[in-house]
């Protein structure tokens, strides 16, 4: 059985990358899932660092 990646997650990743990196839909959708996830993680990491957030937001 082949497990499909939920469409909602793909839209979330595409919106995130498009918003922060200003890439167009075709560029984002041409990327493999793992690459999209990597870009999302990297942008999130940069945002956290710029906002002086801890690596783990649950750290007090």
């Amino acid at each position: 059985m082949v497990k499909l990646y939920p469409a909602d997650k793909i839209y979330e990743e595409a919106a995130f990358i498009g918003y922060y990196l200003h890439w167009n839909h075709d560029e984002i959708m041409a990327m493999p899932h793992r690459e999209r996830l990597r870009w999302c993680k990297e942008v999130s990491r940069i945002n956290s660092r710029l906002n002086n957030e801890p690596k783990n937001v649950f750290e007090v």
Side-chain angles (χ1 to χ4, degrees):
M1 179 176 172
V2 175
K3 189 172 183 179
L4 299 177
Y5 195 67
D8 289 348
K9 295 299 288 178
I10 294 171
Y11 281 105
E12 183 179 329
E13 292 168 9
F16 187 86
I17 293 169
Y19 179 82
Y20 283 102
L21 301 178
H22 308 284
W23 294 351
N24 69 45
H25 176 268
D26 292 338
E27 290 174 312
I28 297 167
M29 298 311 286
M31 281 188 260
H33 167 66
R34 287 180 188 219
E35 188 174 347
R36 278 195 313 271
L37 276 179
R38 177 67 190 260
W39 281 107
C40 289
K41 289 177 184 178
E42 290 301 319
V43 171
S44 292
R45 186 181 60 77
I46 291 166
N47 280 334
S48 292
R49 188 178 54 203
L50 290 175
N51 293 322
N52 293 319
E53 294 175 4
K55 286 186 182 184
N56 180 348
V57 294
F58 296 103
E59 290 177 0
V60 182

